[in-house]
Amino acid sequence: MRQIFCTACGSALAPGAAFCGSCGTAVDAGGGAGAAADASASAPAPAPATEVAASAPEIPAPPPAPEAYAPPPAPPEAYSPTPAPAYAPPPQPAYAAPPAAAASAPPARLAADPAHEQLVRAYVGPNADHYLAKWRQIAAAGKPNSWNWAAFLLNAFWLAYRKMWQPALGTIGAIFALQLLGLFAPSLGLLISGLELGICAWIGWRGNALYLNQAERALAQSATAAPDPNGRIAWLQAQGGVDMPKAVGLAIAVALLWVLLIFVIAQQMGLGRRYGSSYYGSSSYGSSTSSAAPLSEDWITDEYLEGSQWAPNCYGAGAYIRFNPNKTFTSSVGSGSWTQFGGVLTLSYSGGQPSETMTLHKQGPNQFTFTEANRTGTFNRCPT
């Protein structure tokens, strides 16, 4: 029997096999279509194809291998827009309180840095130990103020003595303004005195802190003005310390200015009285005579009016007024009480009539003119 070999891999095929047992190649029905070889060279010639086909049964071709399973494609997803991220405000930095002013309390190095203390002593000059102790107490207590008796009692002049000229001049201006107000409004005397005392108390309470602030500013300026250590000390000594001559000179100047101002105001306004007494030496309710000479012949004073009868025409009927020493008057239209201050006469009637206020202008020893609203006139002293 003829041996048939696989044309693909050369393996011997089993008789009647439809596929190669080694590689699975289908065997041609014609016996390999010339792909098979004889087992030996002496093997008989192969039978005709018709004979093989007649003798071997036809083997059907194997069914095709099933295709690998592929799942159906997923349906396309519906479009959904990407959601916008929610708005988040940027984080705010944590609040930090501003640092306290450097001048509100002395620096810690005041007690720990000998070089710095030497500079402070150079600036303060006399009584440096006292102020260093005060400033250290302020630093230990954490409060910027402490009491200073010299500042309270001398106020502006203590400030000038310690070369704090701006606070000194400001204090003098405030007290000067209050004193002027007292001249024009004596009824406010108690309030004005309280305000002046308050100014003095404020300087006594803030004096040490004010001086410390000035010392620290001077030390900061000295670093630029004189970088050399020795030159810096000399600069601080010149800028700081005390100035007694200028403080005394300021006190004298203020006193002279105050006296001059009172004199000018009195001369212009004819201030014949203040605090219930007359500049002529008699009281408001005194007699009409006085041994003291008037300060100005043009002034209207109580003594000028008291005990006399005045009228536009002393020898005819008409208006008249008589000023009595006890501050009462009688006139052609009524009677009552009278007051006079700086040439301003006020007549208060006792019969319910409205008061009259007029401004008097002295024209001579026996004559004055008056102005009342839109009315003017002249009164003459009548013989009694």
Side-chain angles (χ1 to χ4, degrees):
M1 181 179 177
R2 189 171 55 132
Q3 181 67 50
I4 301 175
F5 297 91
C6 175
T7 59
C9 65
S11 300
L13 301 175
F19 296 93
C20 175
S22 297
C23 67
T25 303
V27 177
D28 189 10
D38 290 333
S40 64
S42 60
T50 56
E51 180 182 344
V52 175
S55 61
E58 183 176 353
I59 300 175
E67 295 182 1
Y69 172 76
E77 295 182 1
Y79 171 74
S80 117
T82 305
Y87 171 74
Q92 299 294 327
Y95 172 75
S104 61
R109 63 176 182 167
L110 193 63
D113 186 353
H116 184 80
E117 180 177 325
Q118 183 182 10
L119 296 176
V120 173
R121 289 180 179 277
Y123 180 79
V124 174
N127 240 6
D129 290 335
H130 169 79
Y131 288 103
L132 282 169
K134 284 288 185 181
W135 294 340
R136 286 166 183 160
Q137 289 174 7
I138 290 174
K143 298 179 180 179
N145 301 314
S146 64
W147 188 253
N148 187 316
W149 279 106
F152 171 69
L153 297 174
L154 301 176
N155 46 80
F157 306 109
W158 174 81
L159 293 169
Y161 175 71
R162 285 289 170 182
K163 296 186 178 181
M164 291 183 277
W165 296 107
Q166 290 184 355
L169 295 176
T171 302
I172 291 173
I175 294 178
F176 217 85
L178 291 173
Q179 288 288 327
L180 284 177
L181 180 61
L183 279 178
F184 291 99
S187 60
L188 299 178
L190 186 60
L191 174 62
I192 291 172
S193 298
L195 292 175
E196 291 174 347
L197 181 61
I199 292 174
C200 296
W202 184 85
I203 296 174
W205 183 238
R206 286 284 297 162
N208 290 327
L210 291 173
Y211 194 27
L212 172 61
N213 293 347
Q214 177 157 303
E216 285 297 313
R217 286 194 297 268
L219 263 65
Q221 294 170 1
S222 67
T224 305
D228 177 68
N230 293 331
R232 189 176 182 186
I233 290 176
W235 188 88
L236 288 170
Q237 289 174 340
Q239 296 295 317
V242 297
D243 197 334
M244 179 65 79
K246 288 184 180 178
V248 172
L250 179 64
I252 295 174
V254 169
L256 292 176
L257 180 62
W258 179 243
V259 171
L260 178 62
L261 183 62
I262 291 177
F263 179 77
V264 171
I265 292 175
Q267 193 173 32
Q268 293 297 321
M269 296 185 62
L271 296 179
R273 295 184 180 275
R274 192 175 183 209
Y275 306 122
S277 63
S278 170
Y279 281 111
Y280 284 80
S282 64
S283 70
S284 300
Y285 301 93
S287 65
S288 61
T289 61
S290 173
S291 60
L295 295 179
S296 173
E297 294 182 356
D298 296 332
W299 289 0
I300 294 288
T301 65
D302 290 357
E303 288 80 358
Y304 178 75
L305 300 173
E306 288 174 351
S308 300
Q309 181 169 314
W310 301 79
N313 184 1
C314 294
Y315 301 100
Y320 74 92
I321 183 170
R322 179 177 180 82
F323 297 99
N324 302 314
N326 60 356
K327 294 300 178 181
T328 61
F329 72 92
T330 56
S331 72
S332 55
V333 294
S335 62
S337 61
W338 65 277
T339 58
Q340 187 274 145
F341 181 80
V344 178
L345 174 68
T346 300
L347 304 177
S348 301
Y349 291 91
S350 57
Q353 297 173 252
S355 298
E356 292 184 74
T357 300
M358 59 186 70
T359 303
L360 309 183
H361 305 278
K362 186 176 179 181
Q363 302 298 319
N366 298 312
Q367 187 182 72
F368 68 81
T369 59
F370 72 90
T371 303
E372 180 184 14
N374 296 325
R375 207 160 52 94
T376 60
T378 303
F379 275 83
N380 299 293
R381 188 191 300 266
C382 299
T384 56

